């Protein structure tokens, strides 16, 4: 199995910054895409940012210019630098990875973290 563990969430004032981290562990052969999604109670889970293994990024329009996604392939870790935070950014953020497990070579599967809370006060 593959596990994703997020960290770095918390409470900040509007205009402040946070840096989220997500480390993948387990029997991993390779990870292709990684990303961050967010979901408030009663709402759909929405894309925040994604990044390919080669470093190509994609952002939601609502976070362009404020958030930056990056990854360290040697550490199987993805990051989300969040600047100029707004109260509207308040919700639970989930880490995502598409990976091939060592025991099932040739099979790609989707994996999700447990989520980390981000709260931005006005």
């Amino acid at each position: 199995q593959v596990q994703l563990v997020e960290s770095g969430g918390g409470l900040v004032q509007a205009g402040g910054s946070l840096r989220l981290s997500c480390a993948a562990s387990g029997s991993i052969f390779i990870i292709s895409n990684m990303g961050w999604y967010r979901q408030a109670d009663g709402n759909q889970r929405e894309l925040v940012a994604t990044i390919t293994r080669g470093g190509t990024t994609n952002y939601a329009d609502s976070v362009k210019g404020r958030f930056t996604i990056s990854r360290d392939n040697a550490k199987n870790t993805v990051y989300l630098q969040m600047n100029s935070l707004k109260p509207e950014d308040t919700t639970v953020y989930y880490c995502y990875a598409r990976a091939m497990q060592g025991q099932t070579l040739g099979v790609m599967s989707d994996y999700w973290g447990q989520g980390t809370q981000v709260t931005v006060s006005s």
Side-chain angles (χ1 to χ4, degrees):
Q1 71 280 4
V2 176
Q3 298 90 36
L4 304 179
V5 179
E6 303 104 329
S7 62
L11 173 64
V12 296
Q13 291 185 323
S17 297
L18 285 173
R19 192 188 196 212
L20 306 184
S21 299
C22 172
S25 62
S27 183
I28 300 169
F29 182 74
I30 196 169
I31 300 175
S32 58
N33 293 344
M34 302 188 82
W36 292 93
Y37 294 71
R38 61 190 183 186
Q39 182 178 14
D41 288 344
N43 292 342
Q44 286 188 300
R45 186 170 296 185
E46 64 177 359
L47 181 149
V48 177
T50 60
I51 184 168
T52 69
R53 186 172 183 84
T56 301
T57 58
N58 182 46
Y59 296 92
D61 288 341
S62 60
V63 306
K64 285 181 180 177
R66 300 190 298 121
F67 292 8
T68 302
I69 189 170
S70 61
R71 65 189 287 175
D72 185 335
N73 291 334
K75 297 180 179 179
N76 287 330
T77 300
V78 64
Y79 307 93
L80 186 67
Q81 179 66 47
M82 304 186 294
N83 298 327
S84 302
L85 282 162
K86 305 174 181 179
E88 306 93 270
D89 297 318
T90 296
T91 190
V92 178
Y93 286 71
Y94 295 89
C95 178
Y96 162 83
R98 186 162 179 82
M100 182 180 297
Q101 194 178 173
Q103 288 81 6
T104 55
L105 295 178
V107 179
M108 299 293 292
S109 299
D110 296 329
Y111 299 92
W112 294 91
Q114 81 288 347
T116 185
Q117 177 70 47
V118 171
T119 303
V120 184
S121 63
S122 60

